[in-house]
Amino acid sequence: MKTDETDWKANWICSGLVGGPGSSVPAPLMRRPFDLAGEVKSATLHITALGLYQCSLNGELVGDAVLAPGFTDTRKRVHYQRYEVGQLLKPGANVIGVVLGDGWHCGFLATGPRQTHGDRPELLAQLEIELADGRTEILITDESWQWRAGPIVSNDIFQGESHDARLEVAGWDTPDGPAEGWQAVEVREEKSIAISRSPAPPIRRQEELSGKEIHAEGWMRIYDLSQNFSGRVRIRVKAPRGTHLKIRHAEMLQEDGKLYTENLRGAACMDQYTARGDENGETWEPLFTFHGFRYVEVFGVKDGCTCEVTGVVLNSDMPETGTFSCSNPLLNQLWSNIRWGMKSNFLDVPTDCPQRDERMGWTGDAQVFARTAASLMDVKGFFDKWLMDMRDAQLPSGAIPNVIPNVGNFEFRDDAGPAWADAAVIVPWTMYICYGEKSVLENHYGCMKAYMEYVEGHRLKDHVRSHPDVHEWGGFGDWLAVEKNATTPKDLIGTALHANNADIMAQVASLLGRDDDAGRWKALHKEMVAAFRRRFVTGDGLVMGGTQTAYVLALKFGLLPEDLRRNAIHELVKHIQKNGNHIATGFVGTPYILDVLEEGGRLDMAYTLLEQESFPSWLFPVKNGATTIWERWDGWTPEKGFQDAGMNSFNHYAYGAVGAWMMRSVAGIDLDPSMPGFAHILFRPRPGGSLTHAEASLETPHGSASIRWERKSGKVQTTVRVPEGARATFFPAPEAGMDTRDIGPGEHTFAWQGDG
Ligand code: BGC
């Protein structure tokens, strides 16, 4: 077994603990005592697991990654981590210890049972040691390792973790631990899965939130962490030995002040702790689970016991790169909700939601949000990893499945359909224009091309994609749109999105010097545009379906003849007005609607939608106390209460896709796709709505860019900062009557007359 860095000599090993499809077993402690014949110069540990692991050397934790080795389809690939551990070793007796959890390998996965990828967790580790005298030693996982059951009685990402502190084995991972009670591990057969280094940062603890007790009733306490997030709680309890605590998690409270957990569906999200009974109290945080929540209920706090709760925020450790603020505090809260929605759903995979029995890498959601994600954090490595997962998941036909990693129980259709499967084209392109590195396109080109060929071969009729004659499955449509009496036709969405795919592919192919392909995609693009016009556009510029999304897609992807664009904008605005100045788009139209209005000369309407406070709108949840983005515009309304619990997440980032427009147009930091990676920064502030100022900063690959504009005494004044390594152009608002200006590194200030 060879990987890029290591010649693996280690074997996959496991314990004898096996659960069933519905029942879990304790997490095994695995260990191997070993002697070193002298001082250690250096030591490198390569380690991974099918499942999850936490490794320690002589009782000291190795690294600070959480939920390692992360989420991949373990039938195809697992990532390993590499740690320099020389300082944890010493001459004489040493012990390496590993706790193994079920994780995404053998725990409950999506709506399916346990054990879909394997019956129990397995470990692979190789420790290479160089002694001070030059001798080398290598320690591998093999039959010489031992296991025993540990204090983690059960663990599961959806169900939660149960820890009985009375079963802790003192010193088990040190030379002083018990020599008795261990059994020999099983050595598993060699596997043909890929073992690779992840390009993504690991999941780490990010910050802590202190829990405020808001309710106490008998042995029950409810705590508010003040923020919906992904992670878990650390509890500090003082309680007699054997006290059993049940810790439940929820995003919302019911009217009676108790936890609202119906929307968690099949995920119990309950941790349990049985106390050791330490006189001075004891602290516990689960190891192999996470929850999406704001509220915590602890049951079992008997009279005389105390319990403190701290939220531990977990997400992929991506540097934060973007900031935004403006004069409307509700928009600032919206930005914060977008950020927390992202943090909560970027745990090694871009997931739809972090709470219910789903938490999958839904392609559509990721595609819709990718540009916004890059406006908040450095997501390059994160998406490089996910695109790797996508290549693993692509079907032999070229089709892209619904969720990536393709865990198996969302395989009800092989093709995720328009806007979902198109993540294969849109995400690498977005990463390319945001970070400027061609490698993402080079690495993914084979996948993109095979996918394009799949659509062409299986999903088009007369260049209409999702044509109802071709297949009954037309895609998810404009998912969760709340239009009354109208839906956007699936073949319209399909054709529009595929025209966009062809356009992107033509650019990608020419960038990669594949001129033949470029010609082919260009021709396809022309055909798709023609088909769109033929089938969906009237001579007056009306677009079939008549929905906001129908107009938005036609306009955004340049599918209308020039002379009909004005009409289409007019129709779109009319539609919005008829809805009382409300948005009516779902996942597909939402990311583009404000762009389209702005480009069509209706910045006023874009701001009206952005600042709309009544349902449906971005600010409606904000006004109702949301701290993350809701899955549905009407997840909760005062009139109807909670939406259908079968699908009602309060932490779904998709509608947060508006963040890209806030960065690009409200504040005004944009990029030039022809000089990708912000090599040419476009400062394009578009003051509007109620705003009297806005500002943003973005850590670009070329350095830090920032902007601040302010409306004061009839003037708009803007100050921008261009980083050393970039060039920039300033585009004043059209009403300024000023020319665009090319500017170099440093600070620049511009002013024009404007309403103030
Ligand atoms: C997920 C989505 C996803 C959708 C597809 C849902 O269950 O939560 O966000 O895109 O299914 O229809």
Side-chain angles (χ1 to χ4, degrees):
M1 213 170 10
K2 258 198 183 317
T3 58
D4 35 348
E5 283 176 344
T6 305
D7 189 2
W8 286 90
K9 299 196 169 50
N11 311 284
W12 287 102
I13 59 168
C14 63
S15 77
L17 293 166
V18 198
S23 54
S24 69
V25 283
L29 307 177
M30 319 279 286
R31 74 160 200 177
R32 165 76 151 83
F34 59 99
D35 284 317
L36 290 177
E39 290 292 335
V40 174
K41 184 174 167 213
S42 67
T44 306
L45 174 68
H46 293 99
I47 182 168
T48 187
L50 299 177
L52 302 171
Y53 75 86
Q54 180 177 274
C55 179
S56 46
L57 276 164
N58 298 321
E60 300 278 340
L61 291 186
V62 173
D64 55 2
V66 177
L67 302 172
F71 184 3
T72 55
D73 180 345
T74 49
R75 295 164 301 185
K76 297 198 169 158
R77 173 186 304 279
V78 67
H79 290 304
Y80 68 91
Q81 285 73 42
R82 176 196 157 110
Y83 303 100
E84 293 309 320
V85 293
Q87 71 290 356
L88 301 179
L89 299 176
K90 52 185 180 12
N94 291 268
V95 172
I96 179 168
V98 178
V99 197
L100 286 182
D102 294 347
W104 295 279
H105 178 66
C106 52
F108 285 95
L109 211 48
T111 48
R114 293 181 76 250
Q115 298 180 322
T116 43
H117 295 177
D119 67 351
R120 68 193 104 168
E122 299 182 30
L123 172 68
L124 183 78
Q126 182 155 319
L127 177 59
E128 289 159 21
I129 305 161
E130 190 182 347
L131 297 178
D133 62 11
R135 280 181 296 169
T136 58
E137 301 222 8
I138 175 163
L139 186 114
I140 56 171
T141 39
D142 59 14
E143 67 288 340
S144 66
W145 283 60
Q146 311 164 316
W147 72 270
R148 70 193 292 157
I152 300 179
V153 181
S154 65
N155 69 95
D156 186 84
I157 288 175
F158 292 164
Q159 310 310 334
E161 186 161 312
S162 177
H163 184 105
D164 188 340
R166 296 169 304 179
L167 303 178
E168 285 168 1
V169 183
W172 70 276
D173 52 354
T174 72
D176 305 325
E180 302 301 308
W182 296 94
Q183 305 186 49
V185 297
E186 290 175 31
V187 175
R188 291 251 158 153
E189 276 169 23
E190 201 173 307
K191 300 175 202 310
S192 55
I193 59 174
I195 302 176
S196 47
R197 216 33 210 284
S198 175
I203 299 170
R204 291 199 174 95
R205 293 180 182 83
Q206 301 293 315
E207 61 193 281
E208 299 194 347
L209 305 168
S210 71
K212 196 169 86 198
E213 189 183 300
I214 53 169
H215 190 81
E217 204 179 307
W219 294 0
M220 189 262 277
R221 305 277 181 279
I222 295 179
Y223 303 84
D224 181 0
L225 281 310
S226 309
Q227 172 64 53
N228 201 14
F229 70 103
S230 274
R232 48 212 190 191
V233 291
R234 197 177 60 233
I235 54 165
R236 168 127 194 99
V237 288
K238 227 166 146 181
R241 187 172 176 81
T243 303
H244 185 74
L245 299 173
K246 287 191 165 134
I247 306 160
R248 297 197 306 139
H249 303 76
E251 296 182 288
M252 301 286 267
L253 295 178
Q254 297 172 163
E255 246 170 60
D256 63 2
K258 304 271 169 60
L259 264 55
Y260 170 73
T261 55
E262 259 176 90
N263 67 334
L264 304 176
R265 303 195 312 211
C269 305
M270 181 164 75
D271 297 334
Q272 301 184 62
Y273 182 72
T274 309
R276 273 189 307 269
D278 287 0
E279 240 169 66
N280 298 323
E282 53 208 273
T283 302
W284 175 71
E285 177 192 330
L287 251 194
F288 297 132
T289 192
F290 72 90
H291 312 289
F293 66 106
R294 168 176 170 171
Y295 301 97
V296 176
E297 178 200 275
V298 182
F299 184 81
V301 190
K302 297 183 191 165
D303 296 346
C305 299
T306 60
C307 177
E308 282 163 38
V309 166
T310 304
V312 180
V313 178
L314 302 179
N315 56 256
S316 287
D317 195 11
M318 305 161 293
E320 303 223 15
T321 50
T323 63
F324 171 93
S325 73
C326 69
S327 56
N328 182 343
L330 296 175
L331 291 181
N332 296 341
Q333 183 63 43
L334 174 64
W335 183 267
S336 168
N337 294 3
I338 294 169
R339 175 176 170 268
W340 278 100
M342 174 173 177
K343 281 167 72 67
S344 313
N345 283 296
F346 276 53
L347 278 87
D348 213 35
V349 161
T351 57
D352 55 335
C353 57
Q355 73 298 84
R356 66 182 178 221
D357 53 353
E358 192 146 355
R359 313 189 199 182
M360 288 291 125
W362 275 97
T363 43
D365 307 42
Q367 174 273 108
V368 159
F369 191 73
R371 178 68 192 268
T372 297
S375 307
L376 282 112
M377 296 185 203
D378 179 350
V379 290
K380 182 170 181 308
F382 179 87
F383 275 113
D384 277 343
K385 185 258 174 197
W386 190 65
L387 291 173
M388 200 179 210
D389 294 335
M390 184 185 286
R391 295 193 286 276
D392 287 345
Q394 185 167 36
L395 300 170
S397 62
I400 300 293
N402 292 325
V403 296
I404 286 165
N406 188 16
V407 299
N409 36 17
F410 281 107
E411 270 167 350
F412 50 95
R413 285 166 194 117
D414 53 359
D415 165 33
W420 269 251
D422 301 330
V425 174
I426 297 173
V427 172
W429 177 249
T430 306
M431 291 304 110
Y432 168 70
I433 61 173
C434 291
Y435 297 100
E437 286 180 31
K438 245 192 224 176
S439 56
V440 64
L441 301 177
E442 282 156 1
N443 294 338
H444 210 62
Y445 191 71
C447 172
M448 296 160 102
K449 186 169 170 176
Y451 170 61
M452 292 299 286
E453 284 166 358
Y454 167 79
V455 175
E456 222 170 323
H458 296 84
R459 288 288 188 264
L460 300 187
K461 180 181 175 188
D462 301 334
H463 292 99
V464 173
R465 178 179 175 198
S466 293
H467 194 297
D469 291 354
V470 175
H471 202 284
E472 56 172 27
W473 165 242
F476 292 105
D478 190 21
W479 190 246
L480 300 184
V482 281
E483 292 236 15
K484 279 191 211 96
N485 310 322
T487 48
T488 311
K490 290 184 178 175
D491 49 351
L492 182 152
I493 297 176
T495 309
L497 265 292
H498 204 56
N500 182 49
N501 287 341
D503 185 32
I504 294 175
M505 287 305 289
Q507 296 179 65
V508 172
S510 37
L511 277 163
L512 299 182
R514 295 168 186 260
D515 296 339
D516 286 359
D517 284 354
R520 171 179 166 194
W521 310 130
K522 248 185 227 151
L524 176 68
H525 177 248
K526 243 174 119 179
E527 297 275 16
M528 299 295 305
V529 174
F532 187 92
R533 291 180 184 171
R534 203 172 56 232
R535 190 168 168 92
F536 305 113
V537 186
T538 73
D540 293 337
L542 301 181
V543 181
M544 224 177 95
T547 59
Q548 291 182 15
T549 291
Y551 283 101
V552 166
L553 297 182
L555 285 157
K556 177 67 192 177
F557 298 141
L559 304 175
L560 299 174
E562 209 36 57
D563 57 326
L564 296 185
R565 287 180 67 87
R566 274 179 71 89
N567 239 359
I569 284 284
H570 176 76
E571 288 299 322
L572 173 61
V573 169
K574 228 167 67 185
H575 191 299
I576 296 169
Q577 286 166 338
K578 245 185 21 218
N579 270 281
N581 288 338
H582 288 103
I583 192 164
T585 50
F587 279 27
V588 177
T590 299
Y592 311 121
I593 188 166
L594 301 189
D595 277 336
V596 160
L597 288 167
E598 180 198 332
E599 282 160 20
R602 294 305 305 263
L603 186 72
D604 58 328
M605 187 49 93
Y607 269 99
T608 300
L609 288 186
L610 182 68
E611 293 195 277
Q612 175 62 264
E613 296 178 15
S614 59
F615 162 80
S617 68
W618 284 286
L619 294 187
F620 173 75
V622 172
K623 288 283 280 184
N624 284 285
T627 58
T628 37
I629 300 293
W630 295 354
E631 176 175 26
R632 294 173 178 268
W633 296 117
D634 58 349
W636 181 89
T637 59
E639 300 78 27
K640 294 192 184 145
F642 290 114
Q643 247 281 9
D644 176 7
M647 233 192 58
N648 198 20
S649 149
F650 291 94
N651 206 349
H652 239 70
Y653 55 59
Y655 284 145
V658 68
W661 194 75
M662 293 167 79
M663 174 61 80
R664 252 192 341 245
S665 296
V666 177
I669 304 182
D670 200 358
L671 55 75
D672 171 357
S674 72
M675 292 180 69
F678 293 87
H680 178 206
I681 300 169
L682 313 182
F683 288 107
R684 257 184 351 92
R686 292 293 175 266
S690 75
L691 301 192
T692 53
H693 80 259
E695 61 189 281
S697 66
L698 189 66
E699 218 41 66
T700 76
H702 298 277
S704 169
S706 66
I707 187 166
R708 180 188 158 87
W709 63 257
E710 191 169 2
R711 290 206 266 208
K712 216 159 99 194
S713 337
K715 260 174 71 189
V716 177
Q717 183 167 311
T718 307
T719 302
V720 302
R721 172 158 279 285
V722 185
E724 265 324 302
R727 49 169 286 228
T729 304
F730 183 73
F731 292 81
E735 68 273 12
M738 280 165 60
D739 291 336
T740 61
R741 292 266 290 276
D742 285 330
I743 47 180
E747 199 172 280
H748 307 263
T749 298
F750 304 91
W752 67 82
Q753 295 301 316
D755 50 337

